[in-house]
Amino acid sequence: MDYVTLNNGVKMPLEGFGVFQVPDPVQCEQAVLDAIASGYRLIDTAAAYMNEKAVGAAIAKCGVPREELFITTKLWVQDASYEAAKKAIQTSLANLGLDYLDLYLIHQPVGDYIGAWRAMEEAYQEGRLRAIGVSNFNAARLLDFCESVTVKPAVDQVEIHPFFHQKEAMKVMADYGVIPEAWGPFAEGQFGLFTNPVLTEIGRSHGKTAAQVALRWNIQRGVVVIPKTVHKNRMEQNFDIWDFALTPEEMERIDALDTGRSGIVDHNSPAFIRMLHNLKIHE
């Protein structure tokens, strides 16, 4: 495993395990246990995934010292205000059974996220959050945010894969020392990623799959990846990317696949923003 150093000196694994769309507590707990047994140390969840308690149960049982794990969770839109965020941070810590989080993210750039960030900055200064960041902030939103806050975000978790490079957002991240983290590094199966001829051909030359090539491409660009699966054999395959490297020519061939758009979600859609506001995770 390789690591990246965040803008506050904290080291973060370049590959982690995500539990989005695994709400069943038994399945989620087992998946996290399998992931940790397979070598993963970064576990990524969110209040809105409704599985923090299951992740916490796995952390308690895994046998790996807490300091070797890197646990991320996220603040939901419903709690995007100063007072609500203070409560949400405590709720997530309690759900996970932890005294501190390694990374806490604003899940969506919606609601009073500036007020929420003030609460996050306080928890960061108190040591309950080792690093704080954002998720789904596009280039313009991230730039405005970085110019408006005291503690610059350590991470921006966005959709990044061979068919959507987020070039503008990546440039802003570089300008402000923000580490990019890719949710959906497989494009959630869109664009035919798993059978793409370019990825498949490059993978064949290294004895790897198209999926492994897609992960390695992001890693070599300094992008943290969090692939998701509940199948242990797939977890192991996704983690088996540290024994090869893509050549500059191979990187360029993959770079040429960029479509400049998401194949998963339109974050600028009014209907999507309304859905985010309407999705309540607690009373």
Side-chain angles (χ1 to χ4, degrees):
M1 170 62 65
D2 290 341
Y3 290 76
V4 64
T5 301
L6 304 181
N7 56 19
N8 65 351
V10 169
K11 290 192 173 183
M12 179 179 185
L14 266 167
E15 184 174 16
F17 179 73
V19 294
F20 177 50
Q21 295 178 327
V22 192
D24 179 80
V26 175
Q27 185 181 47
C28 182
E29 180 180 333
Q30 187 59 55
V32 174
L33 285 170
D34 288 343
I36 292 172
S38 299
Y40 294 85
R41 292 297 178 263
L42 188 169
I43 306 297
D44 180 275
T45 184
Y49 299 170
M50 307 303 289
N51 56 19
E52 286 179 326
K53 290 183 178 179
V55 172
I59 292 169
K61 294 178 182 178
C62 71
V64 174
R66 170 68 184 95
E67 61 271 17
E68 294 182 17
L69 299 174
F70 192 100
I71 309 301
T72 302
T73 193
K74 309 178 191 75
L75 177 86
W76 185 239
V77 173
Q78 184 181 3
D79 296 316
S81 70
Y82 176 72
E83 291 296 338
K86 288 202 296 185
K87 295 178 182 177
I89 292 167
Q90 280 306 115
T91 298
S92 286
L93 285 167
N95 285 342
L96 289 159
L98 301 177
D99 296 323
Y100 67 91
L101 292 164
D102 298 280
L103 179 63
Y104 192 69
L105 305 178
I106 294 175
H107 202 152
Q108 298 284 350
V110 177
D112 180 17
Y113 54 84
I114 293 292
W117 189 257
R118 288 193 296 114
M120 292 166 61
E121 286 178 328
E122 290 179 5
Y124 170 69
Q125 298 295 346
E126 294 164 357
R128 291 183 294 140
L129 308 177
R130 294 183 67 221
I132 52 178
V134 298
S135 181
N136 296 306
F137 278 55
N138 64 23
R141 193 65 60 90
L142 180 62
L143 190 153
D144 178 61
F145 188 78
C146 287
E147 290 291 337
S148 304
V149 298
T150 301
V151 178
K152 298 294 186 287
V155 168
D156 188 6
Q157 185 183 118
V158 294
E159 177 190 350
I160 309 176
H161 48 74
F163 303 97
F164 189 30
H165 295 188
Q166 295 273 13
K167 290 179 181 178
E168 286 188 340
M170 290 278 284
K171 183 179 185 307
V172 174
M173 290 184 221
D175 288 344
Y176 288 93
V178 180
I179 293 297
E181 182 177 19
W183 65 256
F186 297 142
E188 296 192 357
Q190 302 299 312
F191 301 103
L193 183 146
F194 298 116
T195 57
N196 178 267
V198 172
L199 299 177
T200 300
E201 180 185 336
I202 292 173
R204 190 177 299 119
S205 68
H206 294 280
K208 300 295 181 179
T209 65
Q212 290 168 319
V213 169
L215 292 176
R216 186 70 203 183
W217 169 81
N218 253 328
I219 290 291
Q220 288 185 208
R221 298 166 74 234
V223 179
V224 178
V225 293
I226 43 171
K228 302 178 291 291
T229 181
V230 295
H231 303 291
K232 190 173 183 182
N233 64 320
R234 291 285 177 84
M235 294 176 197
E236 293 169 347
Q237 289 175 7
N238 292 340
F239 200 72
D240 187 21
I241 59 171
W242 302 102
D243 60 350
F244 79 108
L246 300 172
T247 67
E249 186 270 338
E250 289 170 336
M251 292 290 287
E252 288 179 6
R253 291 181 65 194
I254 299 171
D255 289 346
L257 298 176
D258 187 25
T259 66
R261 65 177 179 86
S262 170
I264 301 172
V265 62
D266 179 4
H267 282 92
N268 294 313
S269 163
F272 180 72
I273 300 302
R274 187 176 300 278
M275 182 276 291
L276 295 180
H277 276 288
N278 288 339
L279 179 57
K280 308 299 182 184
I281 63 172
H282 59 77
E283 294 183 358

